[in-house]
Amino acid sequence: CSCFAQSTMRTFIFLWLCLPQAIAALSYSKISSGLTDVPNDIPPGVTQVILRGNRITTIKDNAFSAYAELTDINLWSNRISSISHLAFDGCPIKTLYLLDNQLTDFPNLDAIGSSLVTLYIGQNHLDNASASDFVNLSSLQYLFMDYARSLPADLAFTSGFQKVRLLSLLGTGLHGLTTQFQSLQTMTHLYVSGGTFNSDPTTDGQFQGSGGIVHLRLENMGMKKFPQIPQLAQTLQTLNVYSNIFEEPLTYEHFSDYKKLVTLNMAACELSTFPNISPLNNTLQSLDLSRNNFSSIPDDMLDGFSNLERANLDENTLGSIANWSDAFVNVMELSIQNNKIGIVVCRDEAI
């Protein structure tokens, strides 16, 4: 028994000493090191390469082809303007960071189209991107193009999007959107900001065939009328319409189709009247109505919101909130900074 115990202890000590080194060897990192090219001392068994914040301008033929186990490449914040179509040939890349570079053409990533799951390519000037660039990205599920401000206005996202679940176009400034988001059958997360739709209000027709969207962000999209999306509303759990200036009042009917909504963000919408969100009383957990202009909350408006956990009412002109404890009975996080509240009444008692 003692020999077995000693052998087990030696094995444990060996693993304890060597395993961290083996794990560390799987990742290669040179961040902000002044590199102008892909280094040649990357170990052959590496699975992750991080070259963020360097001065690399070109990714040449077969730059990473020697690394047959490589699944994650981070080239964030370099000066890359050109990527060879053979740069990643032979690599099973799943995650690729190309954001904050100097790309004007969407790179040809066909060589890793069958393996690439997540692509970050925002903060580039992709003037020449087209739907054909996505056709062979058959495994792509998460596409982040945030702040790629030069995207063509007519860029459609239907080609090659067999599996895409998340599309993020925050800050892209796409204007006159019409059918770009139709027939995205696998899409569950859609984030857009800084542009416009071709019609107001936004309707279900602009998302036809994309009825599985669960999380929708339409921030600063120049909307004056609240979206009329009764079909899409059935599946939504998150609706973020931050910084749109809606015509008022927002009534019961505006929210009556939302059967599963958990999170609602209507911050910075210049609302002077508290919206009638009572249809959401059984599902809503998080509410953001900060940076608006309403001075009161109608009596009983928030009664019955038994699932509400977070409420942000900062930067309004609220003078008081009656029946405080009834309205926020289960709230764990309540923020009311920069209002005019002097007295809070809770069950008819000043506190």
Side-chain angles (χ1 to χ4, degrees):
C1 293
S2 61
C3 292
F4 174 78
Q6 292 176 6
S7 176
T8 302
M9 181 60 70
R10 284 196 296 270
T11 301
F12 174 79
I13 292 172
F14 173 80
L15 290 173
W16 181 74
L17 290 173
C18 298
L19 189 58
Q21 297 176 11
I23 293 173
L26 299 177
S27 180
Y28 176 96
S29 179
K30 283 194 176 180
I31 299 173
S32 301
S33 300
L35 298 176
T36 58
D37 203 349
V38 175
N40 56 16
D41 61 343
I42 301 174
V46 72
T47 60
Q48 180 186 56
V49 171
I50 303 172
L51 301 175
R52 189 174 74 238
N54 285 288
R55 301 174 185 173
I56 300 170
T57 59
T58 302
I59 308 298
K60 302 173 184 177
D61 288 356
N62 306 116
F64 294 96
S65 296
Y67 312 109
E69 306 299 323
L70 185 57
T71 61
D72 189 327
I73 299 180
N74 190 330
L75 295 165
W76 181 4
S77 193
N78 276 271
R79 301 175 183 178
I80 299 168
S81 60
S82 175
I83 299 177
S84 165
H85 70 286
L86 296 174
F88 310 111
D89 191 31
C91 302
I93 303 299
K94 293 183 179 180
T95 302
L96 179 60
Y97 293 82
L98 294 173
L99 66 163
D100 191 19
N101 277 284
Q102 297 176 11
L103 295 169
T104 57
D105 294 314
F106 195 97
N108 184 336
L109 300 175
D110 291 357
I112 55 174
S114 61
S115 64
L116 187 64
V117 174
T118 303
L119 174 62
Y120 295 85
I121 196 168
Q123 294 176 261
N124 285 283
H125 296 278
L126 301 174
D127 308 72
N128 301 314
S130 69
S132 62
D133 295 322
F134 306 104
V135 169
N136 294 318
L137 303 184
S138 57
S139 294
L140 191 64
Q141 295 185 36
Y142 307 97
L143 176 59
F144 297 86
M145 302 182 75
D146 303 329
Y147 299 96
R149 289 191 173 275
S150 300
L151 288 176
D154 59 349
L155 181 61
F157 296 95
T158 53
S159 299
F161 273 43
Q162 300 98 324
K163 297 182 180 179
V164 169
R165 300 178 58 194
L166 185 152
L167 174 59
S168 188
L169 297 163
L170 298 176
T172 51
L174 289 172
H175 291 277
L177 293 168
T178 53
T179 62
Q180 283 87 344
F181 306 127
Q182 290 184 354
S183 302
L184 300 175
Q185 297 179 2
T186 59
M187 186 76 64
T188 58
H189 297 65
L190 176 60
Y191 306 151
V192 191
S193 74
T196 58
F197 286 94
N198 73 324
S199 62
D200 194 15
T202 303
T203 65
D204 277 324
Q206 286 152 325
F207 306 97
Q208 186 176 357
S210 302
I213 296 175
V214 177
H215 304 282
L216 181 63
R217 294 174 64 177
L218 302 175
E219 302 176 8
N220 189 25
M221 291 295 290
M223 295 186 292
K224 295 182 179 180
K225 297 179 180 179
F226 198 78
Q228 293 183 5
I229 47 174
Q231 182 177 350
L232 188 59
Q234 302 296 318
T235 60
L236 284 182
Q237 295 180 23
T238 299
L239 177 63
N240 185 333
V241 289
Y242 169 87
S243 194
N244 289 280
I245 313 304
F246 294 119
E247 295 176 358
E248 298 185 83
L250 295 179
T251 64
Y252 182 99
E253 287 71 24
H254 286 102
F255 302 96
S256 60
D257 293 309
Y258 295 86
K259 307 301 182 183
K260 299 181 180 180
L261 201 65
V262 173
T263 300
L264 175 62
N265 186 335
M266 296 182 64
C269 290
E270 297 190 13
L271 300 175
S272 59
T273 303
F274 199 92
N276 187 345
I277 58 172
S278 56
L280 311 178
N281 64 348
N282 290 321
T283 60
L284 198 65
Q285 296 180 17
S286 178
L287 174 65
D288 191 342
L289 285 168
S290 61
R291 299 174 62 188
N292 283 292
N293 301 316
F294 51 82
S295 59
S296 63
I297 301 176
D299 291 347
D300 304 327
M301 173 61 72
L302 294 177
D303 288 1
F305 279 73
S306 57
N307 293 308
L308 189 62
E309 298 178 353
R310 294 172 295 278
N312 186 345
L313 304 176
D314 291 348
E315 297 185 50
N316 282 281
T317 57
L318 289 169
S320 65
I321 300 179
N323 301 317
W324 181 276
S325 61
D326 293 333
F328 301 106
V329 61
N330 289 321
V331 169
M332 294 184 292
E333 298 177 23
L334 173 63
S335 187
I336 52 172
Q337 298 182 66
N338 298 318
N339 277 276
K340 297 180 179 180
I341 295 176
I343 299 176
V344 174
V345 178
C346 178
R347 290 180 182 155
D348 301 323
E349 294 181 8
I351 58 173

